[in-house]
Amino acid sequence: GESVGLHLPTLSVQEGDNSIINCAYSNSASDYFIWYKQESGKGPQFIIDIRSNMDKRQGQRVTVLLNKTVKHLSLQIAATQPGDSAVYFCAENAAGGYNKLIFGAGTRLAVHP
Amino acid sequence: GAVVSQHPSWVICKSGTSVKIECRSLDFQATTMFWYRQFPKQSLMLMATSNEGSKATYEQGVEKDKFLINHASLTLSTLTVTSAHPEDSSFYICSVRTGGASPLHFGNGTRLTVT
């Protein structure tokens, strides 16, 4: 089902620490997942994606982990920087085709110097 | 990925008037574009799928007569909010997908404020 957040949870981290943002998805048939970063007043920006036949995928300073057993997705950001401060959304590809992405509620990441 | 441009970036209109938002795919011929809406501090909600040369597909609960979508070319889709009301004030964002299992590429959104 679709997820609508009434307010955004916030993760506060110190600059240089690692951040872990979690997401629970709803549809066990979803087979493609994406993490987006959204800065204030802008559209979402693609960070990293993963298909359901993988458990882990790494990018530059970011890692996505997928646990299909518990329908859980996480985004790990290494050596978090002030520029990482934003709202992060996970998105799942709805079953039945690749045309619809359903977004999670989002998490605000606040990086403190 | 695709480069997506939206215009205007923000608009203020009076209640009862109509507003048109343009979404352009600058470097990719998009047969399909996706329109999302985002209220403050909330997630993105898919409103409709815009199909080039045919009718848009609307999500449940989205009024097709209120949110008119036209996708007349492979690079342009428009969303017209008709008879806008204050509750239509939101952030409208369009997106393009370049392949099957691939991410959506978003425009920078249009902030609509209805007074």
Side-chain angles (χ1 to χ4, degrees), chain A residues 38-53:
Chain A
Q38 186 178 29
E39 295 174 299
S40 181
K42 296 185 178 180
Q45 176 187 358
F46 170 77
I47 302 174
I48 192 168
D49 58 359
I50 188 169
R51 294 195 171 99
S52 59
N53 60 355

Side-chain angles (χ1 to χ4, degrees), chain A residues 48-108:
Chain A
I48 192 168
D49 58 359
I50 188 169
R51 294 195 171 99
S52 59
N53 60 355
M54 303 173 69
D55 297 322
K56 178 180 180 179
R57 190 163 186 227
Q58 288 184 292
Q60 187 177 15
R61 277 202 310 121
V62 294
T63 301
V64 55
L65 298 177
L66 175 62
N67 185 329
K68 294 181 289 293
T69 302
V70 295
K71 293 189 286 186
H72 184 268
L73 196 66
S74 69
L75 176 70
Q76 300 178 2
I77 303 173
T80 314
Q81 302 167 0
D84 295 326
S85 295
V87 177
Y88 290 80
F89 292 98
C90 66
E92 62 180 296
N93 198 83
Y98 287 113
N99 276 338
K100 291 171 62 169
L101 281 186
I102 306 300
F103 281 75
T107 297
R108 180 176 300 282

Side-chain angles (χ1 to χ4, degrees), chain B residues 81-102:
Chain B
V81 183
T82 63
S83 187
H85 291 286
E87 56 264 32
D88 298 323
S89 298
S90 189
F91 194 49
Y92 292 86
I93 321 172
C94 70
S95 60
V96 165
R97 200 167 205 171
T98 58
S102 65

Side-chain angles (χ1 to χ4, degrees), chain B residues 20-23 35 50 68-72 76-80:
Chain B
K20 180 185 284 188
I21 301 169
E22 293 185 347
C23 177
W35 286 96
S50 171
L68 301 180
I69 290 174
N70 183 279
H71 193 155
L76 174 64
S77 174
T78 61
L79 169 68
T80 301

